[in-house]
Amino acid sequence: MRNLLAEILELQLEWDSANTPAMERRGVVVRKELPAELSRISGNLQHAMGPLISDLHFEGRDGTGRKTAIPWARFFSASRSPSAQNGWYCVYLFRSDGSGVYLALAHGSTSFLNGMFVPRADGQLADLLTWARTTLGDALLRDPRVQSKIDLGEGPGKLAKPYEKSTVAGIWYPADNLPDEAQLTADAVMFAGLLGQLYGAQDQRRMPGEIAPEIIEAVEAVDEIAKPLMGRSRAGQGRGLSGPERQAVERRAMELAKSILEREGFTVEDHSATASYDFLASKNGCKTVVEVKGTTGGLGAIMLTANEVTLHQSGTINNALFVVHSIDLDRHGPQPIASGGTVHRLQPWRLNPDQLKPMAFEYALLAE
């Protein structure tokens, strides 16, 4: 790998937007030889990322048509980062002046909104980086070479600043002092471990602005039924929840809600299997209908059935809503285990029609 990095940096000194012989050679090294070399250590990288990451991929780009001043090569989970514009990945970023290359942990600069990918605002990127650094914590401090910011210079083109704004951390390799093969491999493995931690947190839908898995699955189910030729929704980046995982999350949410109600002196009956609510809580002759929602994501949107909306909009019942968010999910054993969680409680719960968003409609065709 060391020789390939050195060759790309030498070719950077001959950068041209046209496909000159030097740029043609650079393209071969960036797009083919460097990803192939990284794939040789895929076993080490895979082990560092963890057993849940089974789709490790490698790719390099140096511009389509006109050659970019900052070529790159990355390794990533194909489902969690389908393109360099979306998701977390590890990437080698070459300075345009050929003075060195960064190994960086970065995020794509777009987000999924209203069915398409759109550029993220600077504030959104800043929130993502803050979340990532908080999630990784001390892991970013173990190696003094790891920097929280990178500097790709003021070279030609407009790519340097977006790359800098979307990078969590990086290690700088100067052209005149590149590490040996062993160190380069060790650094790649270290960054793969960091990437695996972010993927694990991402799979639990903990990132700022992340759509809860329940919402994504509902959208995909509706799309699959209404538009079977359309394929799965692009919103579903990352790993969704299986049936057993959803059940574990829901059970954990109900356990926490029930324990709180019982501590407050309520008698709690479980009606989740037969009614449009989960608990009937009784205290001093007063009955309260309780809805419970659990999610591995943060506090955000929740799924409600038509019957649940009708019931809680009636205004004729005492009601409450418990949303248990940020539930931890352990998938390593034969059965998923849910733990933790933060309770958000609304009692009484008054549904605001402005906060309801229809996801599908039934259209009745009348005989003429």
Side-chain angles (χ1 to χ4, degrees), residues 241-293:
L241 299 184
S242 66
E245 289 169 348
R246 286 194 297 271
Q247 293 171 12
V249 168
E250 195 65 18
R251 284 195 297 269
R252 174 59 181 168
M254 293 182 67
E255 288 171 1
L256 285 180
K258 184 178 181 181
S259 66
I260 291 172
L261 290 167
E262 288 180 336
R263 283 200 305 269
E264 294 176 354
F266 285 91
T267 299
V268 181
E269 300 173 14
D270 188 341
H271 290 251
S272 59
T274 58
S276 296
Y277 56 90
D278 293 304
F279 293 139
L280 184 63
S282 304
K283 182 178 180 181
N284 300 328
C286 179
K287 297 183 181 295
T288 300
V289 170
V290 180
E291 186 64 40
V292 182
K293 299 294 181 181

Side-chain angles (χ1 to χ4, degrees), residues 205 210-223 233 235-236 241 246 293-295 297-298 300-304 357 359:
R205 297 288 166 185
E210 274 288 287
I211 305 171
E214 301 81 21
I215 303 296
I216 288 176
E217 289 163 9
V219 172
E220 290 181 340
V222 170
D223 283 349
S233 165
L241 299 184
R246 286 194 297 271
K293 299 294 181 181
T295 180
I302 59 173
M303 283 293 301
L304 296 172
K357 178 181 177 181
M359 298 177 66

Side-chain angles (χ1 to χ4, degrees), residues 105-182:
L105 178 60
H107 192 281
S109 57
T110 63
S111 60
F112 186 80
L113 182 65
N114 296 329
M116 64 186 67
F117 290 105
V118 297
R120 290 183 184 270
D122 287 352
Q124 289 180 317
L125 284 174
D127 288 344
L128 280 172
L129 300 193
T130 298
W131 171 84
R133 289 169 182 145
T134 301
T135 299
L136 296 174
D138 292 343
L140 291 174
L141 305 176
R142 293 171 186 164
D143 191 320
R145 297 174 302 145
V146 176
Q147 309 168 22
S148 61
K149 294 183 179 180
I150 66 172
D151 180 7
L152 292 171
E154 300 291 340
K158 299 179 180 180
L159 293 176
K161 294 306 176 186
Y163 288 149
E164 292 169 0
K165 290 177 181 178
S166 60
T167 293
V168 175
I171 295 179
W172 170 245
Y173 300 139
D176 60 358
N177 191 26
L178 290 175
D180 59 25
E181 291 292 337

